[in-house]
Amino acid sequence: MTSGIVQTQGVTMESPATAFHHPYQPYEIQTEFMNALYECIEEGKIGIFESPTDAKGKSLSLICGALTWLRNFKRKAFEDSPSNVDAYTDGEPDWMVQYARDKKRSTLISYHAEMESKLARIREKEKRQKERFANDEPKHKKTKLDRDKANCSHKDEDSFVLDDYESDDDLRSSTDVSRYGGLSEESQKLIMKLSGNSIIEAEPEEVVEEMKIFYCSRTHSQLTQFINELRRVQFPSAIPEVAPDNPQEPISSELRFKKEDVKHLTLGSRKNLCINHKVLKLGGATAINEKCLDLQQPGTPADSKCPYLPTTENETLVNSFRDHTLANIRDIEELGTLGKKLSICPYYASRPTIKPSEIVTLPYPLLLQKSAREALHLSLKGHVIIIDEAHNLLDAITNIHSISVSLSQLRRSRAQLGVYLQKFRNRLKGKNRIYVTQIVRLLDSLISFLRDSCLTSVESEGIVPTSNLMAGKGVDQINLYKLMWYLQESKLARKVDGYVIFADEHSPHADRELSMQTETMGLQSGPQTEASTPVLTHIQGFLLALMNPSEEGRIFYSKEDNAGDVSLRYMLLDPTHHFREVVEEARAVILAGGTMSPMSDYINHLFSYVPAARIRTLSCGHVIPLENLTVWPIAKGSSGLDLEFTFEKRNSTAMMDDLGRTILNLCLAIPDGVVAFFPSYAYLDQVIQRWQKATGTTKTLWERLSQRKVVLMESKESANVEVTLAEYSRAIDSGKGGILLSVVGGKMSEGINFADKLGRAVIVVGLPFPNIHSPEWKEKLEYVERRAVDRGSTQSEAKALSREHYENACMRAVNQSIGRAIRHQNDYASIILMDKRYSSDRIQGKLPGWIKGSVIQDAHTKPFTAVMSNLSSFFRAKNAA
């Protein structure tokens, strides 16, 4: 890697290593990645970046590229700040203009110096106290904590009675459509329109805050890995130091921009950050959320409120939490520990910390859900958004805004409501009585439809028109918009759920009463959920989805594996709208991942409204030399049989037998570890049963394969993943080697690195296409075609776009699986794609760029002996090196 001058949007930097302040000498592809990232942010574009280096390499490239831009941006803003005073000093004498400029500059420098000095003192103090505090709570807080635990839930039955609700005036006069945060903007406007009111557009008051980077990934585990890499880097300050004797003059250029720690904040949900043991022990996220909000209700006795909530009385603790958070880079667990030490709720206290932060890390749901952003007071306007592990972003948005409810949940909810009415019926008056009756009718209608239509249907799944769900007696007269407003305002679900929990805690017969209710109403059937499950709150979320315009999503039913239960699922068809607000608010949006190919889906189905000139794509090469990877699309098995694992052909015993013999032969040439991915758990089970079946006097295929390598299978249970991986690692360390039979889209296909001996070969059996005959995929593909026609495409072009979307869903899963191998510069492996369809240019064109360059040309024309010869030579050469 040679050093040189890098010119990036007017900012000249000395060399790649120093330009981006990378802690190591970056590879050429990493420098290419950081330059492209810098330019994309500077120009306010949307970037789709694929970087196949390991997670640490990609994370450091994202950190160094983005934060270098941020500090340069802030430095330029500081240098331009004196000129900002000219607007209000127009016509004043030159000396006054200069004075104003100097004063502005001096104020900025002094404020920055004071902040850095305060944070430095906190760092030093925490360093001294680290041994003393460890992870324990301060001793002087113990008595208070114990008392809080004891007093947290003092309530009586009266607290669950509904407040009087006599008018819908609030609905007609309110402009607060954000109350319907679960709905799209169009749905919110529709609510107000159908309620006899139009939305009054109001410009929010502008709030000045620091430019920042929002970094988003799927899980807190992945965020913690990113945060660990963030600790490795330091960047020059954007604001110069000042000379001690003259605060208006910066000190010498050699020292003026010293290294400055990054100001970071990680955000999480209540479940991640709650420190109230009485609330936290509820376990479920919904239960914790509801209990937290319940403890904040007006009228709650002071000794029953959560003692950790920020108030005007403990504002000093909130400020202390902010300063300690900014002083050191902390992950989500460390943020919770800080809240315990200071006896302040980290979930709420983190909000004031957002504004001065430079980089905020958060999981998908907190960024992608508008209601979550509003709850956190999170403004994305003008900031930079980086979404890592974005290969599943389309699915993530769809899943976050989709919801399911089962017949057993509806029955349980109806029974809970019955128990509540049995207790408080005589105290319900006016509109409360009307709306509660409507909810009972609506639940009965949903239950009747699932029981009488879906459970008795020959088909195990299908599409459900919304009108069918509303066919119960009097249900068609219900105004869903008013009813949802009532549920929101009255907090009925919270009252019912809260009373059931209260009754369960104070009466040993509470659960028996629920059972009696279900029997009395003729609802008993199917598994029951726990009494403490806030199921009515969950159903309220499903009812909210029913109000979305039909074009945005569809409702499906599916019978569960356990007899007697069936579910309704609302599925979002188009993720565009829910992500559009993020795109339009942000300065720049970056989607990054190790395997983002094929990229056309993001452009066509997430950014279809964005001008092509604003979108930039980059697929980096790998850090390995080309000779460290060999890719074989195998069209024929070792017996000469065509390998085509289509749904119609893959169940052939001859096909499964030839697959087993082919993998057995491959294991003769491939040393150490082999990971084989099958299209589904069901097919993997079917193949294993066939291989284990005796055929005459010879050993079974399973026995022969087990003689060659230790054979392990991926389990559907998450808890078994670590055990399986440990056994697999021991098998390889023993020298015998191992083969791990896994599933595309399973636990082994994401987030696990099979580096070095753990992954000398990755085998993919077939192409894992989704079931095109399923109701959900039929609707999804029809929707793609309709949208394409609406945008001016011909019917044939729309069909082609639909087909591409279907193929892309398959190949994204394949690419994610084969990306598990080759994790560093000196690693080497083979990739075996076992299906004749992998030989087509159309499918190969959807592979990542770094893999396409190593595909054996005309592989489908070569005999299987050529595959064996090539692999044997490949691994002999690597072992000799």
Side-chain angles (χ1 to χ4, degrees):
M1 188 72 199
T2 59
S3 66
I5 300 297
V6 178
Q7 183 76 28
T8 310
Q9 290 296 313
V11 180
T12 302
M13 297 175 278
E14 295 177 358
S15 72
T18 58
F20 293 107
H21 312 285
H22 200 287
Y24 311 111
Q25 185 69 22
Y27 298 116
E28 185 175 348
I29 60 169
Q30 291 173 323
T31 301
E32 178 189 12
F33 184 99
M34 291 185 290
N35 272 314
L37 176 63
Y38 191 110
E39 292 171 3
C40 201
I41 297 174
E42 177 67 17
E43 296 170 5
K45 291 187 173 183
I46 293 168
I48 306 173
F49 292 172
E50 180 176 68
S51 176
T53 54
D54 61 34
K56 292 182 179 180
K58 175 163 58 70
S59 294
L60 281 173
S61 296
L62 287 168
I63 290 168
C64 294
L67 285 175
T68 296
W69 175 86
L70 181 66
R71 289 286 170 89
N72 286 345
F73 175 88
K74 293 172 68 174
R75 183 178 303 176
K76 188 175 187 306
F78 167 76
E79 291 169 351
D80 292 345
S81 62
S83 62
N84 295 338
V85 304
D86 294 354
Y88 58 85
T89 56
D90 188 36
E92 300 292 343
D94 290 346
W95 67 269
M96 185 173 289
V97 174
Q98 187 59 47
Y99 173 80
R101 290 175 178 173
D102 292 343
K103 183 68 175 175
K104 178 71 175 290
R105 181 182 179 89
S106 175
T107 301
L108 289 173
I109 292 175
S110 298
Y111 173 81
H112 178 264
E114 183 180 341
M115 170 65 81
E116 289 304 309
S117 177
K118 177 168 61 175
L119 297 182
R121 290 194 299 271
I122 291 173
R123 290 185 196 107
E124 185 60 32
K125 182 179 179 181
E126 287 194 353
K127 186 177 179 181
R128 292 196 307 267
Q129 292 180 340
K130 190 173 183 180
E131 291 290 331
R132 182 155 57 107
F133 279 102
N135 290 323
D136 297 328
E137 297 162 340
K139 291 184 179 178
H140 66 277
K141 299 289 184 184
K142 288 289 186 183
T143 303
K144 183 175 187 294
L145 289 177
D146 292 339
R147 184 175 67 250
D148 295 335
K149 293 175 190 175
N151 293 341
C152 193
S153 61
H154 285 175
K155 280 196 172 240
D156 56 32
E157 291 180 352
D158 288 346
S159 63
F160 301 106
V161 179
L162 290 167
D163 297 330
D164 288 344
Y165 187 90
E166 296 296 344
S167 173
D168 294 323
D169 289 343
D170 289 341
L171 173 60
R172 286 187 284 271
S173 63
S174 175
T175 60
D176 183 15
V177 295
S178 66
R179 294 176 183 269
Y180 293 99
L183 296 178
S184 68
E185 184 179 359
E186 286 77 5
S187 301
Q188 293 176 16
K189 290 179 179 179
L190 186 58
I191 290 175
M192 303 304 286
K193 180 179 179 181
L194 294 178
S195 303
N197 191 23
S198 59
I199 295 178
I200 300 175
E201 301 291 345
E203 286 296 320
E205 184 180 348
E206 290 292 331
V207 177
V208 178
E209 63 175 301
E210 290 282 345
M211 170 66 74
K212 57 178 57 63
I213 310 288
F214 286 100
Y215 173 89
C216 180
S217 195
R218 287 190 305 122
T219 65
H220 278 291
S221 175
Q222 291 170 331
L223 291 174
T224 296
Q225 293 176 17
F226 178 85
I227 291 167
N228 289 335
E229 297 306 309
L230 189 60
R231 293 185 174 111
R232 297 175 184 267
V233 297
Q234 279 192 318
F235 299 87
S237 171
I239 311 294
E241 289 189 281
V242 296
D245 56 343
N246 186 355
Q248 292 190 9
E249 289 294 324
I251 61 178
S252 63
S253 59
E254 291 81 4
L255 299 174
R256 63 179 299 190
F257 293 108
K258 70 173 186 178
K259 297 289 184 181
E260 179 185 312
D261 289 340
V262 175
K263 296 173 183 63
H264 163 262
L265 167 69
T266 191
L267 294 175
S269 64
R270 288 182 178 88
K271 185 175 181 180
N272 299 125
L273 292 173
C274 178
I275 59 173
N276 187 323
H277 300 285
K278 200 75 171 176
V279 176
L280 194 58
K281 75 175 186 179
L282 295 176
T286 305
I288 290 172
N289 289 342
E290 292 300 312
K291 187 66 174 178
C292 175
L293 294 172
D294 190 43
L295 293 176
Q296 301 175 54
Q297 290 304 301
T300 304
D303 63 347
S304 295
K305 288 189 175 182
C306 180
Y308 305 110
L309 280 175
T311 64
T312 53
E313 296 176 357
N314 60 16
E315 188 176 350
T316 303
L317 285 178
V318 176
N319 293 337
S320 180
F321 179 90
R322 176 199 63 204
D323 295 341
H324 279 76
T325 299
L326 296 176
N328 285 298
I329 294 174
R330 304 173 193 270
D331 61 27
I332 195 71
E333 291 185 3
E334 292 164 337
L335 199 67
T337 300
L338 177 63
K340 290 179 182 178
K341 288 181 179 179
L342 298 177
S343 287
I344 193 74
C345 173
Y347 174 76
Y348 283 105
S350 60
R351 296 181 184 185
T353 314
I354 295 172
K355 188 174 179 180
S357 298
E358 292 182 298
I359 181 165
V360 176
T361 55
L362 67 170
Y364 275 7
L366 298 188
L367 177 76
L368 300 178
Q369 278 185 298
K370 182 178 180 180
S371 57
R373 298 197 302 270
E374 290 175 343
L376 291 169
H377 304 160
L378 208 62
S379 171
L380 307 180
K381 193 169 183 61
H383 300 301
V384 177
I385 311 296
I386 297 176
I387 300 179
D388 203 359
E389 301 297 329
H391 60 274
N392 60 2
L393 180 61
L394 290 164
D395 292 336
I397 298 171
T398 297
N399 292 336
I400 285 172
H401 294 93
S402 301
I403 186 170
S404 298
V405 63
S406 67
L407 176 59
S408 59
Q409 286 177 317
L410 289 166
R411 283 171 164 156
R412 186 71 175 183
S413 180
R414 178 65 177 84
Q416 289 178 345
L417 195 55
V419 170
Y420 181 84
L421 287 174
Q422 194 173 54
K423 184 69 179 178
F424 299 111
R425 185 187 305 275
N426 294 334
R427 301 174 70 173
L428 295 180
K429 300 177 182 178
K431 292 292 179 69
N432 276 330
R433 183 181 292 273
I434 293 172
Y435 282 123
V436 171
T437 301
Q438 289 182 359
I439 292 166
V440 169
R441 287 179 179 173
L442 185 54
L443 288 176
D444 287 345
S445 179
L446 292 173
I447 290 168
S448 296
F449 174 76
L450 286 176
R451 183 188 60 213
D452 301 337
S453 299
C454 298
L455 272 181
T456 58
S457 173
V458 176
E459 302 295 331
S460 61
E461 56 184 356
I463 189 169
V464 177
T466 306
S467 58
N468 289 7
L469 301 178
M470 311 289 287
K473 182 179 179 182
V475 176
D476 59 337
Q477 302 300 314
I478 294 175
N479 185 324
L480 264 184
Y481 305 99
K482 285 187 176 183
L483 181 59
M484 291 310 299
W485 180 267
Y486 170 78
L487 286 171
Q488 184 72 30
E489 292 298 295
S490 69
K491 301 177 177 60
L492 173 67
R494 191 180 303 161
K495 297 280 189 180
V496 173
D497 293 332
Y499 175 70
V500 170
I501 294 171
F502 172 85
D504 186 46
E505 291 175 347
H506 291 78
S507 170
H509 307 297
D511 199 59
R512 191 188 309 165
E513 290 178 20
L514 284 176
S515 298
M516 290 174 61
Q517 280 289 331
T518 56
E519 290 171 4
T520 300
M521 298 171 190
L523 301 174
Q524 185 68 41
S525 179
Q528 298 291 325
T529 55
E530 293 297 322
S532 60
T533 301
V535 64
L536 185 54
T537 303
H538 176 74
I539 292 171
Q540 184 176 333
F542 179 79
L543 296 178
L544 198 65
L546 291 183
M547 296 194 301
N548 279 321
S550 60
E551 188 62 20
E552 289 187 4
R554 292 288 184 274
I555 299 173
F556 304 90
Y557 79 85
S558 61
K559 295 182 182 179
E560 304 296 329
D561 292 337
N562 49 312
D565 208 6
V566 60
S567 291
L568 289 172
R569 171 174 167 79
Y570 172 83
M571 186 183 78
L572 184 73
L573 291 177
D574 185 3
T576 306
H577 164 77
H578 290 280
F579 196 61
R580 184 168 185 166
E581 188 174 71
V582 172
V583 174
E584 292 182 341
E585 283 193 5
R587 174 194 178 98
V589 176
I590 309 297
L591 308 187
T595 50
M596 294 295 290
S597 297
M599 296 184 182
S600 60
D601 265 8
Y602 307 101
I603 297 171
N604 294 332
H605 305 294
L606 206 54
F607 305 120
S608 57
Y609 57 92
V610 177
R614 198 190 165 201
I615 299 175
R616 176 169 184 174
T617 62
L618 174 70
S619 181
C620 293
H622 210 295
V623 295
I624 61 166
L626 283 175
E627 60 268 21
N628 279 21
L629 174 67
T630 181
V631 181
W632 272 93
I634 299 182
K636 292 181 181 294
S638 60
S639 302
L641 187 70
D642 281 348
L643 297 179
E644 189 175 4
F645 294 92
T646 60
F647 190 76
E648 295 78 15
K649 297 180 180 179
R650 68 187 188 185
N651 297 326
S652 158
T653 56
M655 181 81 72
M656 290 187 279
D657 289 345
D658 204 26
L659 170 64
R661 287 189 290 268
T662 302
I663 291 178
L664 176 62
N665 280 308
L666 291 172
C667 286
L668 296 174
I670 302 168
D672 305 316
V674 176
V675 185
F677 289 100
F678 287 73
S680 68
Y681 286 105
Y683 189 61
L684 174 59
D685 290 342
Q686 185 179 353
V687 168
I688 290 173
Q689 288 177 17
R690 175 60 191 175
W691 289 353
Q692 291 175 338
K693 188 173 182 179
T695 53
T697 57
T698 60
K699 291 182 178 179
T700 66
L701 276 169
W702 184 261
E703 291 170 335
R704 293 163 63 191
L705 189 59
S706 299
Q707 281 184 328
R708 180 59 189 165
K709 291 182 184 291
V710 176
V711 184
L712 294 162
M713 294 163 290
E714 176 183 345
S715 169
K716 291 183 182 180
E717 303 299 325
S718 300
N720 297 331
V721 170
E722 293 298 327
V723 175
T724 303
L725 288 174
E727 291 182 18
Y728 179 62
S729 181
R730 284 194 297 270
I732 293 166
D733 290 341
S734 72
K736 184 175 182 179
I739 178 168
L740 180 56
L741 306 179
S742 310
V743 174
V744 174
K747 300 297 180 183
M748 301 298 177
S749 67
E750 288 205 38
I752 296 176
N753 299 333
F754 293 102
D756 300 317
K757 290 183 178 182
L758 292 174
R760 288 302 179 214
V762 171
I763 298 173
V764 181
V765 178
L767 285 102
F769 282 107
N771 181 3
I772 198 170
H773 301 295
S774 72
E776 292 191 3
W777 266 99
K778 281 183 179 178
E779 285 296 319
K780 192 177 291 188
L781 296 178
E782 286 177 8
Y783 179 80
V784 169
E785 292 179 26
R786 288 197 303 272
R787 284 295 303 272
V789 171
D790 290 344
R791 290 196 295 263
S793 298
T794 64
Q795 195 63 48
S796 61
E797 289 171 337
K799 285 281 186 185
L801 191 62
S802 171
R803 177 187 175 189
E804 183 182 34
H805 181 59
Y806 181 61
E807 290 176 346
N808 287 351
C810 167
M811 289 307 295
R812 268 199 310 274
V814 169
N815 292 340
Q816 189 63 20
S817 297
I818 59 183
R820 300 304 90 214
I822 305 193
R823 308 306 298 175
H824 58 83
Q825 185 182 27
N826 298 318
D827 206 353
Y828 60 92
S830 57
I831 295 175
I832 315 294
L833 305 173
M834 297 183 66
D835 195 299
K836 64 186 297 185
R837 292 171 290 177
Y838 282 114
S839 300
S840 73
D841 292 339
R842 184 180 181 87
I843 294 298
Q844 287 190 18
K846 297 180 186 298
L847 293 169
W850 67 277
I851 291 179
K852 279 188 280 192
S854 297
V855 174
I856 301 297
Q857 296 302 306
D858 298 322
H860 63 286
T861 65
K862 296 178 169 60
F864 185 73
T865 52
V867 179
M868 294 295 293
S869 176
N870 175 274
L871 290 175
S872 297
S873 299
F874 175 80
F875 286 109
R876 273 199 305 270
K878 294 305 170 189
N879 290 333

